[in-house]
Amino acid sequence: MIAKTAVALALTAVATMAQARCGPEPEAACSVAGGEYHVILPPEPTDAIPVVVFLHGWNSNGRNVSNNRALVEPILARGYAVLAPSGSRIIGDGAGRGWNFYPGWEGRNEAGFLENAVTDAADRFGLDRARVLLAGFSGGGFMVNYIACQSPDAFTAYAPVAGGFWRPHPTDCTGPVRLFHTHGWSDTTVPIEGRYLGNKRFQQGDIFAGLEIWRAANRCPDEKPSGYSETGPFLRRAWSGCAADSALEFALFPGGHRIPDGWADMALDWFEEITAR
């Protein structure tokens, strides 16, 4: 019985994905000024669908995100749409893309492109512009941090995974912001302390230094977390008593550079809690 139900849900999700396409092919991308995105709707869409905009990692693309069932299905099951844009920086000769996040890089205004993508998807598919969680992994997580720093009001909240800032760290960020950062304790691709890349031309930043920047942006009264909790394998710490309409939380898990199992439900529980206040 359980197996039949799982198959039925999977078939429903696939059918819904086809209904959300923008072209004649089942996996056709939607085009907007500056780029393209993929979108998958939940099995039973409502009139105003909340949405997770998920930014892929380095050398990937939006289609890969939309095809990542382990990531997408828990989000769809919660009644959210998944919007998966593609980065602007072409990697190699294939379909790989990266995000234009590094300070000083010239190229596409990623925040403007993402705004275009969400607005277009909201008009096409009935997404709720007031309930948009911008999330991303690795390179996409770096992009999430920089957009949250520069334009905290562009999206409802932010949830980077395995991506922070690069050195030199921003001197400050506009606030307040609502942000939930998740990171693997043994991540060697984006270590918590950061590392050099490109013959020391680039240097990843320190995740805890990034949290210091977010506490300042949110005008938190103390460096010390106000709460500690555990959700499955996740060790969580949060700061409260900060600026109105702000939220800041950090979750560590015992693993490496990946999107951990259980992340989607944990992040959406947090998102629903802070947006219900």
Side-chain angles (χ1 to χ4, degrees), residues 25-38:
E25 299 300 324
E27 294 188 352
C30 303
S31 296
V32 295
E36 64 181 33
Y37 67 88
H38 293 260

Side-chain angles (χ1 to χ4, degrees), residues 175-179 211-227 238-249 277:
V177 68
R178 296 189 281 193
L179 185 139
L211 290 170
E212 178 80 13
I213 294 169
W214 292 125
R215 287 194 296 270
N218 283 356
R219 302 191 296 279
C220 295
D222 198 344
E223 293 83 4
K224 181 174 68 68
S226 54
W239 288 263
S240 62
C242 308
D245 296 325
S246 72
L248 181 61
E249 190 156 341
R277 295 173 186 170

Side-chain angles (χ1 to χ4, degrees), residues 37-42 49-56 65-66 71-72 74-85 114 118 121 127-129 131-137 144 155-161 259 263-265 267-272:
Y37 67 88
H38 293 260
V39 62
I40 310 173
L41 301 182
I49 309 167
V51 57
V52 175
V53 180
F54 198 91
L55 308 186
H56 60 77
V65 171
S66 68
L71 169 66
V72 169
I75 299 172
L76 299 179
R78 298 279 292 249
Y80 288 72
V82 176
L83 196 155
L114 293 174
V118 172
L127 307 187
D128 187 351
R129 286 292 284 111
R131 291 185 293 168
V132 183
L133 176 63
L134 181 64
F137 170 67
V144 170
F155 299 92
T156 312
Y158 301 85
V161 181
I259 304 168
W263 171 82
D265 281 316
L268 290 180
D269 284 344
W270 170 83
F271 181 68
E272 291 170 4

Side-chain angles (χ1 to χ4, degrees), residues 256-267:
H257 193 66
R258 60 185 175 85
I259 304 168
D261 294 341
W263 171 82
D265 281 316
M266 178 181 65

Side-chain angles (χ1 to χ4, degrees), residues 135-211:
F137 170 67
S138 191
F142 285 111
M143 188 75 259
V144 170
N145 273 274
Y146 280 101
I147 292 176
C149 181
Q150 297 160 7
S151 306
D153 294 331
F155 299 92
T156 312
Y158 301 85
V161 181
F165 292 116
W166 291 67
R167 293 183 185 273
H169 298 114
T171 55
D172 55 33
C173 287
T174 304
V177 68
R178 296 189 281 193
L179 185 139
F180 188 169
H181 184 109
T182 304
H183 216 95
W185 175 256
S186 55
D187 192 333
T188 58
T189 302
V190 183
I192 292 174
E193 300 80 5
R195 65 172 178 138
Y196 281 107
L197 289 171
N199 293 321
K200 293 193 173 183
R201 288 187 301 128
F202 306 105
Q203 187 179 12
Q204 294 169 349
D206 186 295
I207 298 302
F208 285 105
L211 290 170

